[in-house]
Amino acid sequence: MRKFIFGLLLFTVQQAIAQAQLYMPLSIKQSYNNQVRNYTGAPGSKYWQNKAGYDIQVAFDPVTNKVSGTEQISYINNSPDTLRTINFKLFPNLFQKGGIRNMPVLPDDLTEGIAIKHMKVNGIDKPLPPSIRGTNLLLGIPELYPGQTVKFELNFSYILNENTHIRTGSVDTGAYFIAYFFPRIAVYDDINGWDQIPYMGIQEFYNDFSDFRVAITAPGGYEVWATGDLKNAAGVYNDKFVQRITAAEKSDDIRYIIDSTDIRNGNITRNSRSNTWRFEANNVTDFAFALSNHYLWQATSVEVDDLTQRRTRVDVVFNPAHADFFDVVHYARITVDKMSHYFPKWPYPYNHETVFDGLDQMEYPMMVNDNPLSDRAQAVELTDHEIFHTMFPFYMGINETQYAWMDEGWATMGEWIISPQIDSAIIDDYGMLSYNFIAGKVQDLPIMTPSNQTTDAYITNSYPKPALGYLYVKDMLGDSLFLKALHYYIAQWNGKHPQPYDFFYCMNTGAGRNMDWFWKNWFFDNGYPDLAITQVSQTGKTAAIEITSKGSKLVPIDLVVLFDDNTTIRLHRSIDCWEKGNKTVSLRFPAAHKIKKVTLGSTWIADIDKSNNIYELK
């Protein structure tokens, strides 16, 4: 025990000294100087984050597409700063006429934006600007000192988008996915202060962990699914459906909660005119809901925690006209199981996960909005990708707006790993083609470039490039040590707001190995991957193959050697074969037969020029 503690302390000191290898902006360095964050990767002794509680009553009218409601917010200032303004995020204003967007909106979906009325601050009326433009509303308030709480009350309404599907909106006549619907308080953090980056469509979200109590009123004949636990199932469903839900929560079997006969017969909900569904979710970063009057509902559950035997219910809610969705419940169930027991091998954190048949490919806490797909492999990959987001960004509180790679990269890697667990015939190389195409071009920027400052590089920087980085570290450390390091990161930062350096330093500390040389090369530096076979030699029963890194972006080495008797061997070197700054690596191996052909590369090893990846005996 003493030896372990001494070794950890020594590593911590070495780690703190070594951080100079990674460039750090002054605003971020100040957070470390202020002991809010720590060079070991753990939150600092003075770490803080603010929190809100939301009590929302919302109603949706399918005839007019109007979303309207009331909201009470309790917000506590845990920061060391006195706040004189509060920034509200108004995401529905993405569809506001005259708004600034980087995704197209059809003219019929342009609206006047979200209307806010009867705003009160600590019970006192607060006048608002006559017109609110954009997705930020900076509101002056009486001084809010550290440790104090401020309360807001307001009414809100807007018209849900009908034909432009950007993560939320009408799916068909009788099905709707409603997200980002309520005014919320933006994140105030130790690095940026108020998050005032406008929501323009492409970049995603950064929200505080909050507690939600949400009452959703829908017309009779509609069912509602949402983030959080349904607290009044017996008050909205007739008895047999309550019993089916309860049974699904306790069983591995896949069963129907609502089948086609139930849809034809009706009589699913208690009241014919309207029902109010009450959900609660604590310590989550967002709340979304969906409703339909004609969708089927399949459900099962998975034991996600071996220690406590806790189960997660897995729901798939879909239009029976979409044949692929009859199998999605299988993909979803396996994904939750594999996430809990295989990768990242962390108990699934929530009581349910609902996949809703929508018109997008987007994740929310405990909810997924997935479009139908005719290709089975694509349906598998989409399902596991979106569900994997449960860990990143929701469980980990990531700033997706600036660092999309901190969640999309993990979801991409999770997709690569879990898809073959669902169907062994799947070889998922999502994003590799696009990265091999853009690498080394002017548009190819370092991963650490803030996501809101990228255009052409957004997809590759968010998805395949970071996923490759994570995969290469996993290969270098081995599965056991990699999971140990990853679990250290998750344990330190779940329910908080990790920044990139927190991740890098946690992985270093968790692995007991300084990997800054890798983080610098793969995440901070410009460059492109390009390996080449530069020499093949064979003397007696010993052979050697020289591989040269012609590019500056480091990647592992995979070789297939074919001999003249048509036997093959595979050779591999993890990415740390380049750690010393060498440009060549020689692989020596016994060879009883003459080499006929050598092939360099594999599915997940990026390489912009594959013309020099094959050697054939002339």
Side-chain angles (χ1 to χ4, degrees):
M1 181 64 71
R2 279 188 170 186
K3 182 179 180 182
F4 171 78
I5 293 173
F6 176 76
L8 180 60
L9 289 173
L10 179 61
F11 175 78
T12 300
V13 172
Q14 293 171 337
Q15 174 72 1
I17 293 171
Q19 302 317 325
Q21 294 183 32
L22 300 181
Y23 167 75
M24 183 181 286
L26 294 176
S27 58
I28 297 177
K29 185 176 292 186
Q30 188 63 42
S31 186
Y32 287 83
N33 293 341
N34 290 342
Q35 301 176 50
V36 179
R37 298 169 192 268
N38 191 291
Y39 286 113
T40 65
S45 60
K46 297 182 180 179
Y47 179 80
W48 57 268
Q49 65 190 51
N50 293 348
K51 186 172 183 177
Y54 292 85
D55 192 336
I56 302 171
Q57 297 78 44
V58 60
F60 178 67
D61 182 356
V63 176
T64 62
N65 267 22
K66 186 174 184 179
V67 179
S68 59
T70 64
E71 187 174 357
Q72 296 82 43
I73 309 170
S74 177
Y75 181 76
I76 184 169
N77 178 20
N78 292 317
S79 81
D81 306 325
T82 298
L83 303 180
R84 296 172 176 84
T85 58
I86 296 285
N87 190 42
F88 279 83
K89 289 290 185 180
L90 308 178
F91 294 136
N93 280 356
L94 177 71
F95 297 90
Q96 189 176 36
K97 295 174 183 176
I100 299 174
R101 290 174 287 272
N102 51 26
M103 295 183 75
V105 172
L106 295 172
D108 288 349
D109 281 321
L110 293 174
T111 70
E112 299 302 322
I114 190 167
I116 300 177
K117 297 180 179 179
H118 309 302
M119 169 73 80
K120 292 185 177 182
V121 180
N122 290 334
I124 300 173
D125 290 337
K126 175 67 179 179
L128 294 173
S131 63
I132 299 171
R133 311 299 298 175
T135 58
N136 287 303
L137 171 61
L138 200 60
L139 191 71
I141 61 168
E143 291 182 333
L144 182 64
Y145 296 102
Q148 287 189 337
T149 298
V150 61
K151 296 183 182 297
F152 299 91
E153 300 171 54
L154 59 94
N155 295 356
F156 65 91
S157 64
Y158 70 96
I159 301 300
L160 186 70
N161 44 299
E162 180 78 31
N163 298 303
T164 306
H165 305 286
I166 305 176
R167 305 186 178 96
T168 179
S170 301
V171 180
D172 61 32
T173 302
Y176 308 86
F177 198 99
I178 301 178
Y180 323 116
F181 63 94
F182 60 96
R184 72 192 69 200
I185 298 177
V187 176
Y188 183 85
D189 67 23
D190 54 298
I191 293 175
N192 299 312
W194 284 115
D195 170 27
Q196 297 188 64
I197 298 173
Y199 172 47
M200 296 191 293
I202 291 179
Q203 283 77 29
E204 296 182 15
F205 305 95
Y206 182 34
N207 297 315
D208 265 326
F209 286 89
S210 303
D211 297 334
F212 291 91
R213 306 289 180 272
V214 183
I216 303 165
T217 299
Y222 277 84
E223 292 81 51
V224 177
W225 300 265
T227 300
D229 299 325
L230 178 61
K231 293 299 184 178
N232 67 330
V236 291
Y237 284 114
N238 285 318
D239 290 342
K240 71 176 181 180
F241 300 98
V242 177
Q243 293 167 8
R244 291 177 184 177
I245 294 170
T246 301
E249 291 172 345
K250 300 176 181 178
S251 174
D252 294 343
D253 296 337
I254 294 170
R255 61 189 69 211
Y256 278 96
I257 307 298
I258 299 174
D259 61 23
S260 56
T261 301
D262 299 319
I263 296 295
R264 286 194 301 271
N265 293 341
N267 200 34
I268 297 170
T269 59
R270 287 284 186 186
N271 301 310
S272 59
R273 293 182 63 85
S274 68
N275 291 281
T276 297
W277 312 69
R278 301 185 185 280
F279 293 89
E280 293 185 7
N282 293 325
N283 210 40
V284 296
T285 58
D286 203 355
F287 187 98
F289 68 96
L291 63 163
S292 175
N293 62 6
H294 63 284
Y295 273 20
L296 308 185
W297 178 6
Q298 290 180 321
T300 180
S301 66
V302 181
E303 185 179 295
V304 296
D305 192 328
D306 297 334
L307 184 63
T308 65
Q309 297 184 316
R310 180 174 60 83
R311 302 184 73 89
T312 291
R313 194 184 76 233
V314 179
D315 302 324
V316 176
V317 182
F318 62 100
N319 187 336
H322 299 151
D324 61 305
F325 261 91
F326 285 93
D327 292 325
V328 168
V329 68
H330 299 277
Y331 314 152
R333 188 184 193 284
I334 296 172
T335 300
V336 171
D337 181 45
K338 294 300 181 182
M339 287 178 63
S340 301
H341 301 109
Y342 182 70
F343 181 76
K345 206 172 183 178
W346 190 275
Y348 205 77
Y350 304 120
N351 291 336
H352 81 85
E353 180 67 35
T354 301
V355 181
F356 190 82
D357 177 2
L359 289 172
D360 217 301
Q361 301 184 354
M362 188 62 191
E363 68 281 355
Y364 318 79
M366 307 177 218
M367 299 286 287
V368 166
N369 177 11
D370 279 354
N371 61 293
L373 292 166
S374 58
D375 182 87
R376 184 174 187 273
Q378 290 181 5
V380 169
E381 293 156 9
L382 174 61
T383 300
D384 57 34
H385 181 105
E386 302 304 344
I387 292 176
F388 203 92
H389 275 300
T390 296
M391 293 297 296
F392 313 93
F394 302 127
Y395 191 59
M396 300 297 290
I398 287 160
N399 184 345
E400 300 176 88
T401 311
Q402 288 191 295
Y403 306 113
W405 57 269
M406 291 185 71
D407 75 293
E408 295 294 356
W410 284 113
T412 300
M413 183 186 181
E415 172 189 333
W416 290 346
I417 291 173
I418 293 176
S419 293
Q421 299 291 316
I422 298 172
D423 183 342
S424 60
I426 293 176
I427 300 175
D428 186 349
D429 61 351
Y430 172 70
M432 292 301 300
L433 183 64
S434 61
Y435 178 47
N436 284 326
F437 175 77
I438 197 176
K441 295 183 170 62
V442 173
Q443 303 96 317
D444 185 22
L445 301 173
I447 295 173
M448 281 293 289
T449 307
S451 302
N452 60 305
Q453 296 179 25
T454 63
T455 51
D456 294 345
Y458 180 80
I459 296 298
T460 51
N461 271 10
S462 302
Y463 295 80
K465 282 172 67 177
L468 289 172
Y470 304 148
L471 196 67
Y472 297 162
V473 172
K474 179 176 179 289
D475 174 54
M476 176 173 65
L477 297 179
D479 289 353
S480 179
L481 186 56
F482 177 76
L483 284 177
K484 179 183 176 183
L486 180 58
H487 287 180
Y488 180 77
Y489 168 54
I490 294 172
Q492 296 298 316
W493 286 100
N494 77 81
K496 302 181 180 70
H497 291 310
Q499 301 287 329
Y501 298 89
D502 304 315
F503 165 68
F504 299 140
Y505 301 158
C506 271
M507 293 297 289
N508 288 356
T509 299
R513 178 173 177 177
N514 191 317
M515 297 181 284
D516 286 353
W517 63 272
F518 173 77
W519 306 128
K520 181 178 183 299
N521 177 268
W522 196 258
F523 288 82
F524 288 78
D525 292 349
N526 284 300
Y528 55 87
D530 183 14
L531 298 185
I533 302 171
T534 46
Q535 185 174 326
V536 177
S537 61
Q538 190 169 5
T539 304
K541 294 185 177 182
T542 301
I545 301 173
E546 182 184 85
I547 305 300
T548 298
S549 179
K550 301 181 74 174
S552 56
K553 192 69 73 176
L554 306 178
V555 293
I557 297 172
D558 270 339
L559 289 171
V560 177
V561 183
L562 173 66
F563 297 99
D564 60 5
D565 66 343
N566 288 326
T567 61
T568 61
I569 63 169
R570 295 179 180 274
L571 303 174
H572 175 75
R573 295 292 183 272
S574 62
I575 200 167
D576 54 356
C577 67
W578 309 105
E579 183 176 356
K580 304 301 182 183
N582 49 301
K583 295 296 291 182
T584 63
V585 171
S586 181
L587 291 85
R588 298 182 179 276
F589 55 96
H593 297 275
K594 190 173 182 180
I595 294 174
K596 183 178 180 181
K597 182 179 180 181
V598 179
T599 304
L600 171 65
S602 60
T603 301
W604 297 287
I605 294 183
D607 195 330
I608 66 165
D609 180 9
K610 297 185 179 181
S611 65
N612 48 25
N613 288 14
I614 296 178
Y615 165 88
E616 293 188 85
L617 183 67
K618 303 285 188 201

